[in-house]
Coordinates of all heavy atoms in Angstrom, one line a residue:
L344 N -2.1 11.1 5.9 CA -1.5 11.8 7.0 C -1.6 11.0 8.3 O -2.5 11.3 9.1 CB -2.0 13.2 7.1 CG -2.0 14.0 5.8 CD1 -2.9 15.2 5.9 CD2 -0.6 14.3 5.4
P345 N -0.7 10.0 8.6 CA -0.8 9.3 9.8 C -0.2 10.1 11.0 O 0.9 10.4 11.0 CB 0.0 8.0 9.6 CG 0.8 8.3 8.3 CD 0.4 9.6 7.7
Y346 N -1.0 10.3 12.0 CA -0.6 10.9 13.3 C -0.1 9.8 14.2 O -0.7 9.7 15.3 CB -1.6 11.9 13.8 CG -1.6 13.2 13.1 CD1 -1.9 13.3 11.8 CD2 -1.1 14.4 13.8 CE1 -1.8 14.5 11.1 CE2 -1.0 15.6 13.1 CZ -1.3 15.6 11.7 OH -1.2 16.8 11.1
E347 N 0.8 9.0 13.8 CA 1.4 8.0 14.6 C 2.7 7.7 13.9 O 2.8 7.3 12.7 CB 0.5 6.7 14.6 CG 1.2 5.4 15.0 CD 1.8 5.4 16.3 OE1 1.1 5.5 17.3 OE2 3.1 5.4 16.4
H348 N 3.8 7.9 14.6 CA 5.1 7.9 13.9 C 5.5 6.6 13.3 O 6.1 6.5 12.3 CB 6.2 8.4 14.9 CG 7.4 8.8 14.1 ND1 7.4 10.0 13.4 CD2 8.6 8.2 13.8 CE1 8.6 10.2 12.8 NE2 9.3 9.1 13.0
Y349 N 5.0 5.5 14.0 CA 5.3 4.2 13.4 C 4.6 3.9 12.1 O 5.0 3.0 11.4 CB 4.8 3.1 14.4 CG 5.7 2.9 15.6 CD1 5.2 2.8 16.9 CD2 7.1 2.7 15.5 CE1 6.0 2.6 18.0 CE2 7.9 2.5 16.6 CZ 7.4 2.5 17.8 OH 8.2 2.2 18.9
L350 N 3.7 4.8 11.7 CA 3.0 4.6 10.4 C 3.7 5.6 9.3 O 3.1 5.8 8.3 CB 1.5 4.9 10.5 CG 0.7 3.9 11.3 CD1 -0.8 4.2 11.2 CD2 1.0 2.5 11.0
E351 N 4.8 6.0 9.6 CA 5.5 7.0 8.8 C 5.6 6.5 7.3 O 5.4 7.3 6.4 CB 6.9 7.2 9.3 CG 7.8 8.2 8.7 CD 9.2 8.2 9.2 OE1 9.6 7.2 9.9 OE2 9.9 9.1 8.9
H352 N 5.8 5.2 7.1 CA 5.9 4.7 5.7 C 4.6 4.2 5.2 O 4.6 3.5 4.1 CB 7.0 3.7 5.6 CG 8.4 4.3 5.8 ND1 9.3 3.9 6.7 CD2 8.9 5.3 5.1 CE1 10.4 4.7 6.6 NE2 10.2 5.5 5.7
F353 N 3.5 4.5 5.8 CA 2.2 4.0 5.3 C 2.0 4.6 3.9 O 1.5 3.9 2.9 CB 1.1 4.4 6.2 CG -0.2 3.6 6.0 CD1 -0.2 2.3 5.5 CD2 -1.4 4.1 6.4 CE1 -1.4 1.6 5.3 CE2 -2.6 3.4 6.2 CZ -2.6 2.1 5.7
P354 N 2.3 5.9 3.7 CA 2.0 6.5 2.3 C 2.8 5.7 1.2 O 2.3 5.4 0.2 CB 2.5 7.9 2.4 CG 2.4 8.3 3.9 CD 2.7 7.0 4.6
T355 N 4.0 5.3 1.5 CA 4.9 4.6 0.5 C 4.2 3.2 0.3 O 4.2 2.8 -0.9 CB 6.3 4.4 1.1 OG1 6.7 5.6 1.7 CG2 7.2 4.1 -0.1
Y356 N 3.8 2.6 1.3 CA 3.2 1.3 1.1 C 1.9 1.4 0.3 O 1.7 0.6 -0.7 CB 2.8 0.7 2.5 CG 1.9 -0.5 2.4 CD1 2.5 -1.8 2.0 CD2 0.6 -0.5 2.6 CE1 1.6 -2.9 1.9 CE2 -0.2 -1.6 2.5 CZ 0.3 -2.8 2.1 OH -0.5 -3.9 2.0
L357 N 1.1 2.4 0.6 CA -0.1 2.6 -0.1 C 0.1 3.0 -1.6 O -0.8 2.8 -2.4 CB -1.0 3.6 0.6 CG -1.6 3.1 1.9 CD1 -2.5 4.2 2.6 CD2 -2.5 1.9 1.7
Q358 N 1.2 3.6 -1.9 CA 1.4 4.0 -3.2 C 1.4 2.8 -4.2 O 0.8 2.9 -5.2 CB 2.8 4.7 -3.4 CG 2.7 6.2 -2.9 CD 4.0 6.9 -2.9 OE1 5.1 6.3 -2.8 NE2 4.0 8.2 -2.9
Q359 N 2.0 1.7 -3.8 CA 2.0 0.5 -4.6 C 0.5 0.0 -4.6 O 0.0 -0.3 -5.7 CB 3.0 -0.6 -4.2 CG 3.0 -1.7 -5.3 CD 3.5 -3.0 -4.8 OE1 3.7 -3.2 -3.6 NE2 3.9 -3.9 -5.7
L360 N 0.0 -0.2 -3.4 CA -1.3 -0.8 -3.3 C -2.3 0.0 -4.2 O -3.1 -0.6 -5.0 CB -1.8 -0.8 -1.9 CG -3.3 -1.3 -1.7 CD1 -3.4 -2.8 -2.0 CD2 -3.7 -1.1 -0.2
I361 N -2.3 1.3 -4.1 CA -3.4 2.1 -4.8 C -3.0 2.3 -6.3 O -3.8 2.1 -7.2 CB -3.5 3.5 -4.0 CG1 -4.1 3.2 -2.6 CG2 -4.4 4.4 -4.8 CD1 -4.1 4.4 -1.7
M362 N -1.8 2.8 -6.5 CA -1.5 3.2 -7.9 C -1.1 2.0 -8.8 O -1.4 2.1 -10.0 CB -0.4 4.3 -7.9 CG -0.8 5.5 -7.0 SD 0.2 6.9 -7.4 CE 1.6 6.7 -6.4
E363 N -0.5 1.0 -8.3 CA -0.3 -0.2 -9.2 C -1.6 -0.9 -9.4 O -1.8 -1.5 -10.5 CB 0.8 -1.1 -8.5 CG 1.4 -2.1 -9.6 CD 2.5 -2.9 -9.1 OE1 2.2 -3.9 -8.3 OE2 3.7 -2.7 -9.4
S364 N -2.5 -0.8 -8.5 CA -3.8 -1.4 -8.7 C -4.7 -0.7 -9.6 O -5.3 -1.2 -10.6 CB -4.6 -1.6 -7.3 OG -3.9 -2.4 -6.5
N365 N -4.9 0.6 -9.4 CA -5.9 1.3 -10.1 C -5.3 2.4 -11.1 O -6.1 3.2 -11.6 CB -6.9 2.0 -9.2 CG -7.9 0.9 -8.7 OD1 -8.0 -0.1 -9.3 ND2 -8.5 1.2 -7.6
G366 N -4.0 2.4 -11.3 CA -3.5 3.3 -12.4 C -3.6 2.6 -13.7 O -2.7 2.2 -14.3
K367 N -4.9 2.6 -14.2 CA -5.2 1.8 -15.4 C -6.0 2.8 -16.4 O -6.7 3.7 -16.0 CB -6.1 0.6 -15.1 CG -5.5 -0.3 -14.0 CD -4.4 -1.1 -14.5 CE -3.5 -1.8 -13.4 NZ -4.2 -2.8 -12.6
H368 N -5.8 2.5 -17.7 CA -6.5 3.3 -18.7 C -7.6 2.6 -19.5 O -8.2 3.2 -20.3 CB -5.5 4.0 -19.6 CG -4.9 3.0 -20.6 ND1 -5.1 3.2 -22.0 CD2 -4.2 1.9 -20.5 CE1 -4.5 2.2 -22.6 NE2 -3.9 1.4 -21.7
V369 N -7.7 1.3 -19.3 CA -8.8 0.6 -20.0 C -9.7 -0.2 -19.0 O -9.2 -0.6 -18.0 CB -8.2 -0.4 -21.1 CG1 -7.6 0.4 -22.2 CG2 -7.3 -1.4 -20.5
T370 N -10.9 -0.4 -19.5 CA -11.9 -1.2 -18.7 C -11.6 -2.7 -18.8 O -10.7 -3.1 -19.6 CB -13.3 -0.9 -19.2 OG1 -13.4 -1.4 -20.5 CG2 -13.6 0.6 -19.2
L371 N -12.4 -3.4 -18.1 CA -12.2 -4.9 -18.2 C -12.3 -5.5 -19.6 O -11.8 -6.5 -19.9 CB -13.3 -5.6 -17.3 CG -13.1 -5.4 -15.8 CD1 -14.3 -5.9 -15.0 CD2 -11.8 -6.1 -15.3
I372 N -13.1 -4.8 -20.5 CA -13.2 -5.3 -21.8 C -12.2 -4.6 -22.8 O -12.3 -4.7 -24.0 CB -14.6 -5.2 -22.4 CG1 -15.2 -3.8 -22.2 CG2 -15.5 -6.2 -21.7 CD1 -16.3 -3.5 -23.2
G373 N -11.3 -3.8 -22.2 CA -10.2 -3.2 -23.1 C -10.6 -1.9 -23.7 O -9.8 -1.4 -24.5
T374 N -11.7 -1.3 -23.4 CA -12.1 0.0 -24.0 C -11.5 1.1 -23.1 O -11.3 0.9 -21.9 CB -13.6 0.2 -24.0 OG1 -14.1 -0.1 -22.7 CG2 -14.2 -0.8 -25.0
E375 N -11.2 2.2 -23.7 CA -10.6 3.3 -22.9 C -11.6 3.7 -21.8 O -12.8 3.8 -22.0 CB -10.4 4.6 -23.8 CG -9.1 4.5 -24.6 CD -7.8 4.6 -23.8 OE1 -7.8 5.3 -22.8 OE2 -6.9 3.9 -24.2
V376 N -11.1 4.0 -20.6 CA -12.0 4.5 -19.5 C -12.5 5.9 -19.9 O -11.9 6.6 -20.7 CB -11.3 4.6 -18.2 CG1 -10.9 3.2 -17.7 CG2 -10.0 5.5 -18.2
T377 N -13.6 6.3 -19.3 CA -14.2 7.5 -19.7 C -14.0 8.6 -18.6 O -14.6 9.7 -18.7 CB -15.7 7.3 -20.0 OG1 -16.2 6.6 -18.9 CG2 -16.0 6.6 -21.3
Q378 N -13.4 8.2 -17.5 CA -13.1 9.2 -16.5 C -11.8 8.9 -15.8 O -11.2 7.8 -16.0 CB -14.3 9.1 -15.4 CG -14.4 7.8 -14.6 CD -14.8 6.6 -15.5 OE1 -15.8 6.7 -16.2 NE2 -14.0 5.6 -15.4
P379 N -11.2 9.9 -15.1 CA -9.9 9.6 -14.5 C -9.9 8.4 -13.5 O -10.9 8.2 -12.8 CB -9.6 10.9 -13.7 CG -10.6 11.9 -14.1 CD -11.8 11.2 -14.7
T380 N -8.9 7.6 -13.5 CA -8.8 6.5 -12.6 C -7.9 7.0 -11.4 O -7.9 8.1 -11.0 CB -8.3 5.2 -13.2 OG1 -7.1 5.5 -13.9 CG2 -9.4 4.8 -14.3
S381 N -7.0 6.1 -10.9 CA -6.4 6.3 -9.6 C -5.8 7.7 -9.4 O -5.0 8.1 -10.2 CB -5.3 5.3 -9.3 OG -4.7 5.5 -8.1
P382 N -6.1 8.3 -8.3 CA -5.3 9.5 -7.9 C -3.9 9.2 -7.5 O -3.6 8.0 -7.2 CB -6.1 10.1 -6.7 CG -6.8 8.9 -6.1 CD -7.0 7.9 -7.2
V383 N -3.0 10.1 -7.5 CA -1.7 10.0 -6.9 C -1.8 10.0 -5.4 O -2.5 10.8 -4.8 CB -0.8 11.1 -7.4 CG1 0.6 11.1 -6.7 CG2 -0.6 11.1 -8.9
C384 N -1.1 9.1 -4.8 CA -1.2 9.0 -3.3 C 0.2 9.4 -2.7 O 1.2 9.0 -3.2 CB -1.5 7.5 -3.0 SG -1.1 7.0 -1.3
W385 N 0.1 10.3 -1.7 CA 1.4 10.7 -1.1 C 1.1 11.1 0.3 O 0.0 11.1 0.7 CB 2.0 11.9 -1.9 CG 1.1 13.1 -2.1 CD1 0.1 13.2 -2.9 CD2 1.2 14.3 -1.3 NE1 -0.5 14.4 -2.7 CE2 0.2 15.1 -1.8 CE3 2.1 14.7 -0.3 CZ2 -0.1 16.4 -1.3 CZ3 1.9 16.0 0.2 CH2 0.8 16.8 -0.3
G386 N 2.1 11.5 1.1 CA 1.9 11.9 2.4 C 3.1 11.7 3.3 O 4.2 11.3 2.9
D387 N 3.0 12.0 4.6 CA 4.0 11.9 5.6 C 3.4 11.9 6.9 O 2.2 12.2 7.1 CB 5.1 13.0 5.4 CG 6.4 12.7 6.1 OD1 6.5 11.6 6.7 OD2 7.2 13.6 6.1
A388 N 4.2 11.5 7.9 CA 3.7 11.5 9.3 C 3.4 12.9 9.8 O 4.2 13.8 9.6 CB 4.7 10.8 10.2
G389 N 2.2 13.0 10.5 CA 2.0 14.3 11.2 C 2.8 14.2 12.5 O 3.0 13.2 13.0
T390 N 3.4 15.3 13.0 CA 3.3 16.6 12.5 C 4.3 17.1 11.6 O 4.3 18.3 11.2 CB 3.3 17.6 13.8 OG1 4.5 17.4 14.4 CG2 2.2 17.3 14.8
N391 N 5.2 16.2 11.2 CA 6.3 16.6 10.3 C 5.8 17.2 9.0 O 6.4 18.2 8.6 CB 7.2 15.3 9.9 CG 7.8 14.7 11.1 OD1 7.5 15.0 12.2 ND2 8.7 13.8 10.8
G392 N 4.8 16.6 8.4 CA 4.2 17.2 7.2 C 3.7 18.6 7.4 O 3.8 19.4 6.4
Q393 N 3.2 18.9 8.6 CA 2.7 20.3 8.8 C 3.8 21.3 8.6 O 3.5 22.5 8.2 CB 2.2 20.4 10.3 CG 0.9 19.6 10.5 CD 0.5 19.6 12.0 OE1 -0.1 18.7 12.4 NE2 0.8 20.7 12.7
H394 N 5.0 20.9 8.8 CA 6.1 21.9 8.7 C 6.8 21.8 7.3 O 7.9 22.3 7.1 CB 7.1 21.8 9.8 CG 6.5 22.1 11.1 ND1 6.5 23.4 11.6 CD2 5.8 21.3 12.0 CE1 5.8 23.4 12.8 NE2 5.4 22.2 13.0
S395 N 6.2 21.1 6.4 CA 6.7 21.1 5.0 C 5.6 21.4 4.0 O 5.5 22.5 3.6 CB 7.5 19.8 4.7 OG 6.6 18.7 4.7
F396 N 4.8 20.4 3.7 CA 3.9 20.6 2.5 C 2.5 21.1 2.9 O 1.6 21.3 2.1 CB 3.8 19.3 1.7 CG 3.4 18.1 2.5 CD1 2.1 17.9 2.9 CD2 4.3 17.2 2.9 CE1 1.7 16.8 3.6 CE2 4.0 16.1 3.7 CZ 2.7 15.9 4.0
F397 N 2.2 21.2 4.2 CA 0.8 21.6 4.6 C 0.4 23.0 4.1 O -0.7 23.3 3.9 CB 0.6 21.5 6.1 CG 0.1 20.2 6.6 CD1 0.7 19.0 6.3 CD2 -1.0 20.1 7.4 CE1 0.3 17.8 6.7 CE2 -1.5 18.9 7.9 CZ -0.8 17.7 7.5
Q398 N 1.4 23.8 3.9 CA 1.2 25.2 3.4 C 0.4 25.0 2.1 O -0.6 25.7 1.9 CB 2.5 25.9 3.1 CG 2.5 27.1 2.2 CD 1.7 28.2 2.8 OE1 1.7 28.5 4.0 NE2 0.9 28.9 2.0
L399 N 0.8 24.1 1.2 CA 0.1 24.0 0.0 C -1.3 23.4 0.2 O -2.3 23.8 -0.5 CB 0.9 23.0 -0.9 CG 0.4 22.7 -2.3 CD1 1.5 22.5 -3.3 CD2 -0.5 21.4 -2.3
L400 N -1.4 22.5 1.2 CA -2.8 21.9 1.4 C -3.7 23.0 1.9 O -4.9 23.0 1.5 CB -2.7 20.9 2.5 CG -1.9 19.6 2.2 CD1 -1.9 18.6 3.4 CD2 -2.5 18.8 1.0
H401 N -3.2 24.0 2.7 CA -4.1 25.0 3.2 C -4.4 26.2 2.2 O -5.4 26.7 2.2 CB -3.5 25.6 4.5 CG -3.7 24.7 5.7 ND1 -4.9 24.4 6.3 CD2 -2.8 23.9 6.3 CE1 -4.7 23.5 7.2 NE2 -3.4 23.2 7.3
Q402 N -3.3 26.6 1.5 CA -3.5 27.8 0.8 C -3.1 27.7 -0.7 O -3.2 28.6 -1.5 CB -2.6 29.0 1.4 CG -3.2 29.5 2.7 CD -2.4 30.8 3.1 OE1 -1.2 30.8 3.0 NE2 -3.2 31.8 3.5
G403 N -2.6 26.5 -1.1 CA -2.3 26.3 -2.5 C -3.5 26.3 -3.4 O -4.6 26.4 -3.0
T404 N -3.2 26.2 -4.7 CA -4.3 26.3 -5.7 C -4.9 24.9 -6.0 O -5.8 24.8 -6.9 CB -3.8 26.9 -7.0 OG1 -2.7 26.2 -7.4 CG2 -3.5 28.4 -6.7
R405 N -4.4 23.8 -5.4 CA -4.9 22.5 -5.8 C -5.9 22.0 -4.8 O -5.8 22.3 -3.6 CB -3.7 21.5 -5.9 CG -2.8 22.0 -7.0 CD -1.6 21.1 -7.1 NE -0.7 21.7 -8.1 CZ -0.8 21.6 -9.4 NH1 -1.8 20.9 -9.9 NH2 0.0 22.2 -10.2
F406 N -6.7 21.1 -5.3 CA -7.7 20.4 -4.5 C -7.2 19.1 -4.1 O -7.1 18.1 -4.9 CB -9.0 20.3 -5.4 CG -10.1 19.7 -4.7 CD1 -11.1 20.5 -4.1 CD2 -10.3 18.3 -4.7 CE1 -12.2 19.9 -3.5 CE2 -11.4 17.7 -4.1 CZ -12.4 18.5 -3.5
I407 N -6.8 18.9 -2.8 CA -6.2 17.7 -2.4 C -6.9 17.2 -1.1 O -6.6 17.6 0.0 CB -4.7 17.9 -2.1 CG1 -4.0 18.5 -3.3 CG2 -4.0 16.6 -1.6 CD1 -2.5 18.8 -3.1
P408 N -7.7 16.2 -1.3 CA -8.4 15.6 -0.1 C -7.3 14.9 0.8 O -6.3 14.4 0.3 CB -9.3 14.5 -0.7 CG -9.4 14.9 -2.2 CD -8.2 15.6 -2.6
C409 N -7.6 14.8 2.1 CA -6.7 14.2 3.0 C -7.3 13.2 3.9 O -8.5 13.3 4.2 CB -6.1 15.3 4.0 SG -5.3 16.7 3.1
D410 N -6.6 12.1 4.2 CA -7.0 11.2 5.2 C -6.1 11.3 6.4 O -4.9 11.1 6.3 CB -6.8 9.7 4.7 CG -7.9 9.3 3.6 OD1 -8.8 10.1 3.4 OD2 -7.8 8.2 3.1
F411 N -6.7 11.7 7.5 CA -6.0 11.8 8.8 C -6.2 10.5 9.5 O -7.3 10.0 9.6 CB -6.5 12.9 9.7 CG -6.2 14.3 9.1 CD1 -7.0 15.0 8.2 CD2 -5.0 14.9 9.6 CE1 -6.7 16.2 7.7 CE2 -4.7 16.2 9.1 CZ -5.5 16.8 8.2

Side-chain angles (χ1 to χ4, degrees):
L344 306 166
Y346 278 68
E347 161 56 69
H348 201 74
Y349 283 132
L350 297 186
E351 188 185 13
H352 289 124
F353 200 26
T355 319
Y356 169 76
L357 288 179
Q358 282 175 337
Q359 188 200 16
L360 176 65
I361 294 171
M362 300 199 278
E363 198 173 73
S364 295
N365 282 342
K367 307 288 165 64
H368 74 118
V369 291
T370 65
L371 289 172
I372 53 160
T374 54
E375 279 295 321
V376 295
T377 47
Q378 65 293 308
T380 57
S381 181
V383 173
C384 159
W385 59 284
D387 196 3
T390 59
N391 299 11
Q393 289 176 211
H394 295 271
S395 64
F396 54 79
F397 269 54
Q398 164 63 37
L399 179 148
L400 295 180
H401 286 289
Q402 286 191 316
T404 53
R405 295 178 188 282
F406 180 93
I407 303 176
C409 301
D410 285 355
F411 289 88

